[in-house]
Amino acid sequence: MINYLYIFPEIIITSALCFIIVLDLFLPNKLKYISYYLIQLSLIFCAYYIYSHISYLTNNNSELYDTSIFSNIFKIFILLSLAMIFYYTSVFLKYFNIFRTEYFLITLFGLLGMMIMISSQNMLLLYLGIELLSLSLYSVIAFNKNSLFSSEAAVKYYILGAISSGFLLFGISLIYGLTGSLNFNEIFIHIASFNITNGIDNVQVIGLLFALIFILISLSFKFGAAPFHMWIPDVYHGSIITTTLLLSTIPKIAVFVILIKLLTNVFSGLFLFWADMVIILSILSILIGNIVAISQTNIKRMLAYSTIANIGFILLGLSVGSIIGYKAAMFYTLTYVVTTIAAFGLLSQLICRNKPIENISDLSGLNSTSPFTAFLLMFILLSYIGIPPFIGFHAKLFIIQSLVETNNIPLGIFAVLMTVVGSYYYLRVIKVIYFDEAKNVLASTSKLYITGIYVLGLILLGLLPDVLGQLSQYSISNFFNT
Amino acid sequence: MIPMSHYLILSSILFSISLAGIFLNRKNIIIMLMSLELMFLSINFNFIIFGNYLNDLTGQIFVFFILTVVAAESAIGLAIIVVLYRNKQGINVEDIARLKG
């Protein structure tokens, strides 16, 4: 008998979604904020439900849907990040008079897709989760329907996203044909039974390699790793800044979980092959991300390339192939998401000539108009670079440490060197903020209290890196014991 | 009886044709959508063949899921193209190059 209580978090989100969609129809425009608060409430309640019922949820031993501690921690993290993102989005949309509840509701569909992705133990479920996420992202990007940039970005993301789902499905179909199953555990057992040490003279192993390559290509598309990164700068540039905030944070967590599950669990028998592919992906991402970012003038494009570089670091941690590397990669992912929410959130609250911030030069002389904002932005950028007291430092340190401990010293040196290259474009923004003459009057759309508290939390996290460190240690070791 | 490899070669050829159609097409986005549709149909073909070969229903069930999801996907794609057309008065592939850098 199926016990539906294990998917109660998803049921909460779905029922809140259905209820608010209908409720919103009957609310006059003045009262639309009620549905916004209800959405926030359902997110917080869902996170609380998972937290308070975590021991019950982990009893689930379903073959289809995994609610282990590992996936629950990621779900809580995604729910809380989304609540933060929704706060920034509502402030931004209200200021520019384009507040529509549909934006949040469509994003909730994406959230549902991510929760299904994270919990999936079956290729069919994985596919449905990824599609639910991408379908809602397509429409969220095209949300600003009067903007040419926005619709162009949506078309680009749509075409490339559809190709990448095609690749994923082709890989899944090959795996299905070779192993006769869609279940992660059964596929794992099948792959382990093939004798791979003899080299790739076996037809089945070649087929499996093809499937692995197809699936890896598709996931790197979604993740934004280097040879498949073309959509990232365009889409980040084209969509409104809070959509960029949404795109650059939580979908990455979900794809990261899928990568960990597929690579280290399902395809662990093919480690010899995927390790090299992941190393190539990460080296290219770090190179392209850091070097192309130098020449960018648009701040959203610059942060897009910095995203690509950060993805490269995460993949570097995955390529190590031991628990210490996975732990470092998870720590890096969480840190990246937390920092990016602060960066884009702060930028979304700044306006220049009654328009959202577009170019780096818009920020010039920020220090003279509002020193507090400049201070916050400097902290966030220093954390991106990886300057010691901030959280970004520990993230980079763990990745490099895991590389050195597994005797991957050349890769470690490469990572350090590229961090130096990367610090150039972050420092340039700090220079523009502090030393350039103010050309524009910058204002903020709201009081920056919440952002201030958030950045304070970021600094505390940097001073106490054990908080995120223990969290990733706990969840990764839990994942590998079960 | 036709050996299975023939079917697989056919579906791979269809997949490659659709990929080429997407990347070589320089004219119309609608043609891209048609190529995408062809891509998913070739994958469906793969699933049906494997399902038949393995005597397993899962593959055939998967096909129904793909069909529905792809229908939803092309609905959203067409909606996005309508939005683009309103802003741009045209849907030429070469013209959608405003975002660069």
Side-chain angles (χ1 to χ4, degrees):
Chain A
M1 194 198 129
I2 304 166
N3 193 342
Y4 289 102
L5 277 179
Y6 291 121
I7 56 166
F8 201 66
E10 285 79 1
I11 293 177
I12 294 174
I13 295 292
T14 318
S15 42
L17 197 59
C18 298
F19 175 69
I20 297 167
I21 280 185
V22 178
L23 176 77
D24 192 58
L25 280 177
F26 297 103
L27 285 176
N29 266 338
K30 265 190 208 161
L31 295 176
K32 291 281 187 199
Y33 66 90
I34 292 180
S35 33
Y36 164 70
Y37 285 115
L38 278 177
I39 290 169
Q40 286 283 28
L41 194 71
S42 58
L43 287 181
I44 305 287
F45 176 69
C46 185
Y48 173 74
Y49 179 85
I50 297 176
Y51 175 75
S52 58
H53 289 70
I54 200 154
S55 55
Y56 172 76
L57 288 172
T58 45
N59 283 333
N60 178 15
N61 46 15
S62 155
E63 285 277 284
L64 206 60
Y65 208 73
D66 145 59
T67 48
S68 62
I69 286 183
F70 178 70
S71 44
N72 277 326
I73 283 176
F74 278 106
K75 276 186 199 169
I76 294 176
F77 199 81
I78 283 188
L79 287 163
L80 295 181
S81 323
L82 194 63
M84 200 66 202
I85 292 169
F86 275 177
Y87 162 72
Y88 285 125
T89 313
S90 77
V91 169
F92 182 86
L93 296 183
K94 264 181 206 148
Y95 186 83
F96 288 101
N97 266 333
I98 42 174
F99 188 89
R100 303 266 184 288
T101 324
E102 286 80 6
Y103 185 94
F104 303 98
L105 293 171
I106 293 172
T107 318
L108 278 193
F109 275 114
L111 170 75
L112 204 59
M114 278 183 278
M115 288 169 88
I116 293 172
M117 266 167 87
I118 287 176
S119 282
S120 60
Q121 282 287 61
N122 186 296
M123 288 293 187
L124 179 54
L125 219 50
L126 169 68
Y127 168 67
L128 292 179
I130 287 186
E131 280 305 289
L132 193 50
L133 171 64
S134 352
L135 290 191
S136 59
L137 288 185
Y138 301 148
S139 22
V140 160
I141 293 169
F143 172 73
N144 194 4
K145 59 177 189 267
N146 294 323
S147 150
L148 179 57
F149 282 144
S150 197
S151 40
E152 198 181 306
V155 168
K156 281 183 178 167
Y157 187 55
Y158 171 75
I159 301 280
L160 291 175
I163 296 173
S164 94
S165 344
F167 273 71
L168 179 77
L169 277 176
F170 200 80
I172 292 176
S173 77
L174 284 180
I175 284 191
Y176 172 67
L178 288 166
T179 63
S181 168
L182 292 171
N183 198 297
F184 283 2
N185 289 331
E186 284 174 33
I187 295 170
F188 167 72
I189 293 167
H190 265 280
I191 292 178
S193 70
F194 292 150
N195 196 0
I196 285 161
T197 41
N198 287 348
I200 45 171
D201 49 353
N202 190 337
V203 178
Q204 282 191 320
V205 177
I206 294 175
L208 269 182
L209 272 183
F210 260 104
L212 172 67
I213 290 172
F214 272 108
I215 291 179
L216 202 59
I217 285 177
S218 151
L219 289 180
S220 346
F221 250 120
K222 305 275 182 211
F223 212 18
F228 314 105
H229 69 285
M230 306 79 76
W231 62 274
I232 287 210
D234 286 352
V235 172
Y236 281 24
H237 182 181
S239 42
I240 54 176
I241 191 162
T242 47
T243 308
T244 315
L245 166 63
L246 175 75
L247 277 174
S248 60
T249 48
I250 44 177
K252 308 286 187 220
I253 306 180
V255 178
F256 171 75
V257 176
I258 291 299
L259 270 180
I260 283 251
K261 272 193 176 173
L262 285 182
L263 292 183
T264 68
N265 195 1
V266 180
F267 292 121
S268 55
L270 299 169
F271 172 72
L272 285 177
F273 303 107
W274 66 253
D276 290 343
M277 300 178 204
V278 172
I279 285 179
I280 292 171
L281 284 176
S282 66
I283 288 179
L284 279 177
S285 312
I286 294 176
L287 267 179
I288 292 180
N290 278 325
I291 289 173
V292 184
I294 291 174
S295 65
Q296 300 303 319
T297 52
N298 184 300
I299 189 140
K300 278 195 266 176
R301 281 192 103 82
M302 191 205 90
L303 285 173
Y305 281 105
S306 111
T307 300
I308 298 170
N310 280 314
I311 297 296
F313 271 96
I314 295 170
L315 289 174
L316 213 54
L318 280 181
S319 72
V320 167
S322 65
I323 288 191
I324 179 170
Y326 305 143
K327 195 196 120 195
M330 177 172 169
F331 188 94
Y332 201 99
T333 315
L334 299 187
T335 311
Y336 160 73
V337 168
V338 168
T339 326
T340 309
I341 291 178
F344 276 116
L346 183 58
L347 289 174
S348 76
Q349 287 184 317
L350 297 178
I351 41 168
C352 161
R353 287 191 226 104
N354 244 349
K355 275 185 180 165
I357 293 277
E358 277 292 326
N359 294 320
I360 296 175
S361 57
D362 288 351
L363 288 168
S364 59
L366 181 63
N367 186 41
S368 56
T369 49
S370 56
F372 180 59
T373 318
F375 196 60
L376 293 182
L377 194 54
M378 184 186 71
F379 269 172
I380 295 164
L381 291 171
L382 288 180
S383 172
Y384 262 129
I385 300 173
I387 304 277
F390 300 106
I391 182 87
F393 165 71
H394 302 286
K396 289 210 162 96
L397 177 73
F398 284 146
I399 294 277
I400 292 163
Q401 197 182 13
S402 68
L403 287 173
V404 172
E405 274 182 30
T406 48
N407 280 328
N408 257 328
I409 293 170
L411 270 181
I413 294 174
F414 171 74
V416 173
L417 284 179
M418 290 322 284
T419 306
V420 176
V421 174
S423 62
Y424 169 76
Y425 57 87
Y426 296 121
L427 285 176
R428 192 182 51 168
V429 178
I430 295 181
K431 176 222 152 211
V432 168
I433 295 172
Y434 274 91
F435 302 110
D436 280 11
E437 254 177 63
K439 286 178 217 147
N440 314 297
V441 181
L442 277 160
S444 50
T445 52
S446 64
K447 295 271 179 281
L448 294 169
Y449 296 136
I450 291 194
T451 315
I453 294 168
Y454 188 80
V455 174
L456 192 72
L458 215 63
I459 295 165
L460 280 180
L461 272 184
L463 294 175
L464 307 163
D466 257 7
V467 178
L468 281 185
Q470 295 285 351
L471 188 71
S472 22
Q473 171 81 38
Y474 178 64
S475 46
I476 290 285
S477 54
N478 232 298
F479 177 64
F480 283 98
N481 284 340
T482 50
Chain B
M1 192 192 146
I2 306 169
M4 202 181 76
S5 57
H6 284 47
Y7 291 110
L8 289 183
I9 290 169
L10 174 66
S11 74
S12 310
I13 289 174
L14 283 177
F15 190 83
S16 322
I17 289 175
S18 63
L19 258 188
I22 292 164
F23 286 111
L24 299 181
N25 164 39
R26 294 270 118 211
K27 276 205 178 125
N28 202 312
I29 300 182
I30 301 291
I31 295 175
M32 276 190 179
L33 283 194
M34 287 156 65
S35 302
L36 281 175
E37 213 66 24
L38 182 65
M39 175 187 269
F40 288 107
L41 289 180
S42 76
I43 293 160
N44 281 348
F45 204 69
N46 239 355
F47 271 111
I48 295 167
I49 296 156
F50 282 130
N52 187 36
Y53 170 77
L54 296 163
N55 264 333
D56 184 23
L57 270 183
T58 328
Q60 272 126 44
I61 293 167
F62 207 128
V63 169
F64 284 106
F65 278 96
I66 296 176
L67 282 176
T68 42
V69 170
V70 169
E73 200 165 7
S74 29
I76 289 184
L78 286 170
I80 291 173
I81 290 174
V82 169
V83 171
L84 182 77
Y85 183 80
R86 279 200 190 136
N87 286 326
K88 207 173 174 64
Q89 309 302 326
I91 47 170
N92 266 338
V93 177
E94 280 163 341
D95 294 342
I96 43 170
R98 286 282 297 278
L99 292 166
K100 261 186 181 165

